Amino acid sequence: MAKGSMPVLVGVGQSMSEWDGTQGPDGAPSPLSLAVTASRAAIEDAGIDASAIDTLTFVRIFEDSVRGAKHPHGHNTNLPGTLARDIGAKPARLIYSDVGGQSPQALAGEMANRIHAGELDVALIAGSEANRASKGALKNKVEINWADSDDADYEDRGLGGEMLSRAEIKHGLVAPAFFYALFENAIAAREGRTRSEQREAMAKLFHPFSKVASDNEYSQFPKERSEEFLATPSPKNYEFADPFLKWHIAQDAVNQGAAVLIMSEDKADELGVAKDKRVYLHGAGEASDDLLSLRPKLDGSWAMEQAISRALDQAGRTSGGIAYFDLYSCFPCAVFSSTAAMGIDPFTDERPLTLTGGLPFFGGPGNNYSMHGLAEMAHKLREEAGAFGLVLANGGWMTKEAVGVWSTTRPDTFKTVEPAAKPTEQVELDPEPSGGTVETYTVVHGREGPQHGVILGRTDEGKRFIAIADPVALDHLREEESPVGARVTTRTKDEITHFSFA
């Protein structure tokens, strides 16, 4: 383990299964089996033996990412250890990551740092989700068993910091789509778009993503969807949280796995890894943001701006010097925010913004989506030697960001990935506001239609407040024109604020 050795990505692998319980119990995947398949593919891609791996990290799965979540098919209590066992590796270090979709790129940066520091030589980073199998087994009453364990010690990094506040939960902000809808409507208001116009913009953005997904062998939903379909409410594209329809949202009913291998260049030379397999990290940036209700910026992402800027600066590139992107696309506003941070027009720029097809169409395997982005980026850069690509991985509600700039061109030196940037400005939250103006909003839909409206607002003193719509206000939130900027009156009881339009 030579200190100062150049880290390099040398192997990538992916897996996907269409099993959904209708086929009977045979062939049912698990998070472990999907990760095993992807890891073996990455090892084969690099042309090495699994015995060379000295560090193995497993990206945290859904069931272990929510406090108190059930394990309906049995609990694998040591995913890193069982993965090492099943691929024939005996690493000295096993890690189970914390929560967040930033994990794949952040872990790639961490492993690169540790390789350069001489702490390790060969790191496998893997992850997977089998939600499609889980939901299908429960729906079709098929018994599957994921229970497993291993005696190997591993580092469990836990759930990470809280991303929800008591005030947000009290007002019904409990799901990712609700938070992202607040961003989406703030962007729509800034651009002067009505609800329908924002849906048209989202459809125009996401139609090319669905086209990419339709040609990807690892895509869970490989079908091109038209702009008209994506912009129009229908039984197959129903309203969820204004302005989102079903196919504007990351789809988690997937069976997907992906893995990458990163090692020191010295070890790659020793093991005979082919030169044309090697992809280098030229720059990386990370940032984390506050609770959404405390952020000054709601029509974009401060954390994305920071992480992207850091990665490009470290790589000595501008966004114009990037040939390929895989931008996190759980919701359109995530793409609008990242392209805005880079000065890119997502409607006119001809460069691909996704290499997988994006989370609504390729699939959204929890914390592990961007591992697929890294795998696809490696393949693309190997095909076009010397080109640069950027992967943006996102966790929470644009809360945790990790960005990497990659190329087959070898950098002169490796630049250490710096600790995540932290915000220095906060908005004060008013628990008992006396009214104010609407900053952004959403309406949550159920099977029977609109059921819950919520706004973020500002008092005349500049404080932020959260409030739930009364019945008349809920109807007003459903009108075509945006209510952003409208005056509201409020009343608060038992920590919950309700509002009416003034």
Side-chain angles (χ1 to χ4, degrees), residues 147-191:
D148 203 347
S149 193
D150 190 84
D151 292 336
D153 291 333
Y154 69 99
E155 176 190 346
D156 188 340
R157 295 185 172 177
L159 300 181
E162 295 293 336
M163 289 187 285
L164 291 166
S165 71
R166 178 181 177 88
E168 290 166 351
I169 295 169
K170 283 275 189 178
H171 291 86
L173 292 175
V174 293
F178 306 167
F179 286 96
Y180 278 99
L182 297 173
F183 290 121
E184 202 76 53
N185 279 320
I187 291 171
R190 183 192 67 207
E191 299 298 321

Side-chain angles (χ1 to χ4, degrees), residues 312 317-325 342 351 377 388-390 405:
L312 289 172
R317 314 294 292 184
T318 66
S319 61
I322 302 297
Y324 300 101
F325 299 92
M342 291 185 283
R351 293 171 292 179
M377 185 62 74
F388 282 77
L390 183 148
V405 176

Side-chain angles (χ1 to χ4, degrees), residues 78-109:
N78 190 343
L79 279 164
T82 52
L83 174 59
R85 178 198 68 199
D86 286 2
I87 63 173
K90 295 187 181 299
R93 303 174 188 82
L94 295 171
I95 300 168
Y96 196 32
S97 82
D98 61 359
V99 177
Q102 82 291 342
S103 295
Q105 175 60 48
L107 289 167

Side-chain angles (χ1 to χ4, degrees), residues 65-300:
S65 295
V66 179
R67 203 178 308 278
K70 296 179 179 179
H71 294 79
H73 314 294
H75 191 187
N76 186 325
T77 59
N78 190 343
L79 279 164
T82 52
L83 174 59
R85 178 198 68 199
D86 286 2
I87 63 173
K90 295 187 181 299
R93 303 174 188 82
L94 295 171
I95 300 168
Y96 196 32
S97 82
D98 61 359
V99 177
Q102 82 291 342
S103 295
Q105 175 60 48
L107 289 167
E110 178 190 341
M111 294 303 119
N113 275 358
R114 295 176 72 171
I115 287 168
H116 185 65
E119 297 176 18
L120 59 98
D121 276 331
V122 183
L124 175 72
I125 312 168
S128 60
E129 290 292 350
N131 279 357
R132 184 183 187 89
S134 177
K135 292 177 180 181
L138 294 172
K139 179 180 179 181
N140 293 285
K141 296 181 172 56
V142 176
E143 292 291 330
I144 57 177
N145 182 17
W146 294 355
D148 203 347
S149 193
D150 190 84
D151 292 336
D153 291 333
Y154 69 99
E155 176 190 346
D156 188 340
R157 295 185 172 177
L159 300 181
E162 295 293 336
M163 289 187 285
L164 291 166
S165 71
R166 178 181 177 88
E168 290 166 351
I169 295 169
K170 283 275 189 178
H171 291 86
L173 292 175
V174 293
F178 306 167
F179 286 96
Y180 278 99
L182 297 173
F183 290 121
E184 202 76 53
N185 279 320
I187 291 171
R190 183 192 67 207
E191 299 298 321
R193 296 177 187 144
T194 65
R195 175 185 287 103
S196 296
E197 288 169 342
Q198 185 64 18
R199 286 177 176 168
E200 289 169 2
M202 294 189 295
K204 186 176 181 180
L205 177 74
F206 268 180
H207 167 247
F209 282 61
S210 76
K211 189 173 183 179
V212 172
S214 71
D215 292 327
N216 190 325
E217 65 177 302
Y218 297 107
S219 175
Q220 199 79 62
F221 311 101
K223 177 182 178 181
E224 184 176 352
R225 291 169 170 82
S226 70
E227 285 188 35
E228 181 181 6
F229 172 82
L230 290 172
T232 308
S234 68
K236 291 185 178 181
N237 195 30
Y238 49 82
E239 294 182 292
F240 190 82
D242 280 348
F244 297 138
L245 307 177
K246 170 183 167 65
W247 288 102
H248 299 142
I249 298 173
Q251 303 296 314
D252 65 6
V254 302
N255 301 324
Q256 292 174 316
V260 302
L261 266 171
I262 300 177
M263 64 176 60
S264 69
E265 197 173 46
D266 293 343
K267 195 69 174 179
D269 291 341
E270 177 188 326
L271 296 175
V273 176
K275 298 287 187 181
D276 61 4
K277 292 288 187 181
R278 304 183 188 192
V279 183
Y280 295 89
L281 181 62
H282 281 248
E286 298 181 21
S288 61
D289 214 336
D290 276 319
L291 298 165
L292 182 144
S293 58
L294 302 180
R295 300 181 201 176
K297 186 180 182 71
L298 295 177
D299 61 350

Side-chain angles (χ1 to χ4, degrees), residues 5-25:
S5 183
M6 178 72 71
V8 60
L9 187 155
V10 296
V12 296
Q14 299 182 74
S15 60
M16 189 274 287
S17 168
E18 296 180 348
W19 192 93
D20 63 1
T22 59
Q23 306 92 330

